[in-house]
Amino acid sequence: METRRIGDVDVSAIGLGAMPMSIEGRPDEARSLATLHAALDAGVTLIDTADAYHLHADEVGHNETLIAKALASHDRGADVLVATKGGHLRPGNGSWTQDGSPAHLKAACEASLRRLGVEAIGLYQFHRPDPRIPYADSVGAVRELLDEGKIRAAGISNADPEQIRQADDILGGRLVSVQNQFSPAFRSSEPELRLCDELGIAFLPWSPLGGISRARELGSSYAPFAHVAEAHGVSPQRVCLAWMLAKSPVVVPIPGASRPETILDSLAATDLVLTADQLAELDATA
Ligand SMILES: NC(=O)c1ccc[n+]([C@@H]2O[C@H](COP(=O)([O-])OP(=O)(O)OC[C@H]3O[C@@H](n4cnc5c(N)ncnc54)[C@H](OP(=O)(O)O)[C@@H]3O)[C@@H](O)[C@H]2O)c1
């Protein structure tokens, strides 16, 4: 498995986005554990999660608990970088609310530490800027968590170029990752991707296949992806991830999965080499 770097840690060039295993439409626990174990068997060493990946109000951290269980029952569990997040909440009515206050982030981090059963979180990401809280205050809380050793590395999510520079500054040059939406359907994070490339910060595209409800239709929605997929005899989803990986060595996509077949298909993108003409065709259309 090809590896890429997040801070000073080598991770599989494609990570597993674990959200579909805990929100609307989630599978039963047995299928989720089979999905997580299939990913670990195949060499995945990055799993993305969040305390807010749950469905009902009383099950905060459902996804983190699931991941902790999967890692504890696999012999490669200790090799995985678990990237979790704080700053979003799910009150249980389907909505996503926010709390980026330092007090919340610190309490949320403590709770994530307990659920993951670790002394320090491998990568802690501030989930989304909270318009009610100065960005510097939220990121300042993450800096304190880093200084206290509660987290080994700090990332941000849903940030614009100015926020990326500000966060890196507040963290004293220790920002290791930016997680933004990026897919054929959503290209407006190109400036953030380019900035991360320039600064040597990992860029983790979220919903890289267009999101849970649209991922399956990627080929029918974007003809060039279907066209290139046919030429290689692979899925359009695999082409999409190979296209992203080719954009910059800082890109580490985190496709979601709730079935072993889908994550295994996605991981094979690390072996798919697209020609310059194919990359140009995908760039021009996407
Ligand atoms: N930071 C943020 O604000 C934020 C927001 C959204 C998501 N995220 C993160 O990003 C991750 C990925 O995003 P996402 O899950 O929303 O969307 P996505 O990765 O674009 O799509 C996920 C869906 O794609 C399907 N899929 C995966 N690989 C496939 C393949 N090779 N062929 C066909 N179908 C395939 C999966 O189906 P099955 O379910 O059938 O396996 C899954 O439901 C999340 O899991 C989460 O960790 C972060």
Side-chain angles (χ1 to χ4, degrees):
M1 173 74 72
E2 178 193 338
T3 59
R4 295 199 169 187
R5 267 181 114 63
I6 298 183
D8 57 6
V9 180
D10 286 321
V11 296
S12 50
I14 291 183
L16 168 64
M19 184 179 77
M21 292 182 270
S22 289
I23 65 165
E24 288 80 352
R26 67 190 182 192
D28 61 24
E29 186 176 285
R31 196 175 103 192
S32 290
L33 291 174
T35 304
L36 285 153
H37 283 168
L40 295 172
D41 289 344
V44 161
T45 53
L46 170 67
I47 300 180
D48 183 72
T49 181
D51 59 353
Y53 293 167
H54 63 96
L55 192 51
H56 309 296
D58 62 352
E59 52 170 21
V60 176
H62 177 278
N63 203 240
E64 292 176 329
T65 305
L66 191 63
I67 290 165
K69 188 168 182 180
L71 296 183
S73 54
H74 195 282
D75 55 9
R76 289 198 215 142
D79 302 339
V80 173
L81 176 67
V82 177
T84 193
K85 313 182 196 78
H88 256 310
L89 302 163
R90 298 211 78 194
N93 59 1
S95 69
W96 296 78
T97 57
Q98 282 176 257
D99 188 346
S101 66
H104 171 74
L105 292 173
K106 287 185 177 178
C109 180
E110 292 290 346
S112 291
L113 278 166
R114 278 196 299 278
R115 283 188 294 265
L116 292 171
V118 292
E119 280 176 20
I121 288 171
L123 173 59
Y124 198 67
Q125 306 158 99
F126 175 42
H127 210 145
R128 186 181 290 275
D130 180 346
R132 298 168 312 149
I133 308 289
Y135 196 57
D137 291 2
S138 302
V139 179
V142 177
R143 183 195 57 213
E144 285 177 27
L145 292 169
L146 193 56
D147 290 342
E148 290 163 4
K150 306 251 179 198
I151 65 174
R152 290 193 206 288
I156 53 173
S157 181
N158 300 300
D160 65 24
E162 195 184 327
Q163 289 163 335
I164 294 172
R165 290 189 188 279
Q166 188 187 356
D168 195 33
D169 197 36
I170 291 167
L171 291 162
R174 293 176 293 170
L175 178 68
V176 301
S177 65
V178 173
Q179 181 177 144
N180 274 14
Q181 186 173 15
F182 185 70
S183 68
F186 191 95
R187 291 282 299 272
S188 60
S189 279
E190 285 267 9
E192 289 85 9
L193 193 164
R194 282 197 300 275
L195 179 59
C196 285
D197 178 75
E198 184 191 317
L199 300 175
I201 292 171
F203 181 86
L204 280 52
W206 67 253
S207 291
L209 305 174
I212 296 173
S213 57
R214 294 205 288 184
R216 212 160 296 280
E217 277 75 55
L218 195 137
S220 46
S221 305
Y222 298 93
F225 285 85
H227 176 231
V228 173
E230 202 179 340
H232 286 275
V234 301
S235 70
Q237 290 81 4
R238 201 185 297 184
V239 168
C240 174
L241 296 166
W243 164 72
M244 279 180 190
L245 287 170
K247 287 200 167 285
S248 160
V250 302
V251 172
V252 184
I254 46 166
S258 66
R259 292 179 295 131
E261 310 86 273
T262 44
I263 187 59
L264 295 179
D265 185 68
S266 293
L267 293 175
T270 58
D271 295 326
L272 177 60
V273 180
L274 303 175
T275 67
D277 283 353
Q278 288 170 335
L279 291 171
E281 181 188 354
L282 299 173
D283 269 333
T285 324

